[in-house]
Every structure is written in structure tokens, then in C-alpha cells.
């Protein structure tokens, strides 16, 4: 059986989009974490899923509030992603955000898009919970989405743009 380090190494070879999941705790304080395990589920109704570790400090807030935002990371949001990947209590210190669906933080400078979701289902999967959210509001912003591969951030350049740049 594959051990956790080998699992991370295998999946680290593939570039993934990055997002910051945000929510509000029972005390009204914002909470969040950096995530690269999320996916579109359905267009009708609009559903997405986010994989959250059972040990996540943000998970109880997501479950109790029943709402969360998926903030799709922009190239300029890399420092914010690193902050939200850590264990700091002050992750929102110096981070620009506004209240979205039910007051959930929407990261206005670190994201190229966001989806405000209401939790509709949870599925247990190993050491994670899959949280399925119905998208109730969304917005896109100008910019380039960030990708993450083998511990480094980058961006995707479509072949058509690469061909134009080499002419």
C-alpha cells in the first residue's frame, strides 16, 4: 500500500489549481485554509466539492455555519496561500477581504474568482471529509490563476499564446 509521503510525491507531480477556503466560526471570526483538492460537481444545480482534513481547525466552523467560500487563487495571491497553509491564528491579518454569502470572507486581492456556497452534503473519505456545496453566488476578477506543482507556484500558458510569442 502507498504510504502518505509517496502519495504526496505522486500527486505533487501534477500541477493543480489552488484555492483558499474561507468561512466564519460560531464567534463570527473568519477562518480558512489553503486547498488544492476541490472540483466542480454539477452545473445544474451548481455544486462543487472541497476535501477537508478531519483535523482541520476550519472544519468545525464550516460544519456549524453551513456556508463557505472557495477563493480561486490568483498569481499575486501566492503569499496569502502560504499564510493560509500555515497554523497562524491571524491568517486574515493584512489580507483584503469583504463579506460575501452570509458574511463569509471573499478574498478580494488574492483571487481570480470565488464561489459562495451553502453546504448540502458531507461524505467521509479516509482522513478527509468531502464537503459538497451549492454555489449561491460567484464573481470573477481579472488576472491569471496560480497553479502549484512540486512545492512551487506557477501559471498556465495556453499553447496558442506560446505560439504567438515565438513568432
Amino acid at each position: 500500500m502507498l504510504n502518505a509521503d509517496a502519495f504526496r510525491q505522486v500527486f505533487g507531480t501534477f500541477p493543480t489549481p489552488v484555492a483558499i477556503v474561507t468561512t466564519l466560526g460560531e464567534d463570527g471570526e473568519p477562518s480558512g485554509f489553503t486547498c488544492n483538492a476541490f472540483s466542480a460537481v454539477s452545473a445544474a444545480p451548481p455544486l462543487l466539492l472541497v476535501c477537508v482534513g478531519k483535523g482541520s481547525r476550519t472544519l468545525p466552523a464550516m460544519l456549524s455555519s453551513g456556508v463557505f467560500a472557495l477563493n480561486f487563487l490568483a498569481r499575486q495571491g501566492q503569499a496569502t496561500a502560504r499564510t493560509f497553509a500555515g497554523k497562524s491564528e491571524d491568517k486574515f491579518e493584512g489580507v483584503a477581504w469583504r463579506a460575501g454569502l452570509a458574511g463569509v470572507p471573499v478574498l478580494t486581492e488574492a483571487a481570480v474568482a470565488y464561489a459562495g456556497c451553502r453546504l448540502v452534503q458531507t461524505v467521509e473519505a479516509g482522513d478527509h471529509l468531502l464537503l459538497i456545496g451549492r454555489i449561491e453566488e460567484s464573481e470573477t476578477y481579472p488576472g491569471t490563476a496560480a497553479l502549484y506543482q512540486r512545492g512551487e507556484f506557477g501559471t498556465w500558458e495556453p499553447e496558442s499564446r506560446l505560439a504567438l510569442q515565438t513568432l
Side-chain angles (χ1 to χ4, degrees):
M1 177 157 50
L2 196 65
N3 68 36
D5 288 337
F7 178 88
R8 283 187 209 79
Q9 187 175 17
V10 166
F11 279 90
T13 64
F14 187 75
T16 61
V18 181
I20 298 173
V21 177
T22 56
T23 193
L24 290 177
E26 289 182 12
D27 56 3
E29 289 297 313
S31 182
F33 66 95
T34 299
C35 175
N36 71 345
F38 56 89
S39 178
V41 173
S42 168
L47 301 174
L48 61 77
L49 73 79
V50 175
C51 301
V52 185
K54 290 179 180 175
S56 167
R57 294 185 318 195
T58 302
L59 180 59
M62 295 175 75
L63 295 174
S64 68
S65 71
V67 290
F68 62 92
L70 190 63
N71 298 273
F72 297 88
L73 190 68
R75 176 186 356 212
Q76 69 271 16
Q78 294 173 24
T80 304
R82 291 189 194 285
T83 298
F84 277 77
K87 302 288 185 198
S88 169
E89 294 289 329
D90 297 326
K91 293 179 181 180
F92 287 85
E93 182 75 30
V95 174
W97 65 278
R98 68 169 177 80
L101 177 69
V104 170
V106 174
L107 306 182
T108 56
E109 294 178 6
V112 293
Y114 92 96
C117 300
R118 192 160 307 276
L119 183 61
V120 295
Q121 186 177 356
T122 62
V123 177
E124 192 166 341
D127 60 358
H128 280 63
L129 286 181
L130 309 181
L131 302 186
I132 300 174
R134 182 181 62 245
I135 303 169
E136 295 193 354
E137 64 180 29
S138 65
E139 194 169 349
T140 60
Y141 312 109
T144 302
L147 295 174
Y148 192 74
Q149 180 185 24
R150 292 189 170 141
E152 295 186 30
F153 286 100
T155 58
W156 177 69
E157 195 68 39
E159 286 291 326
S160 59
R161 280 197 236 163
L162 290 174
L164 291 174
Q165 290 175 358
T166 59
L167 292 178

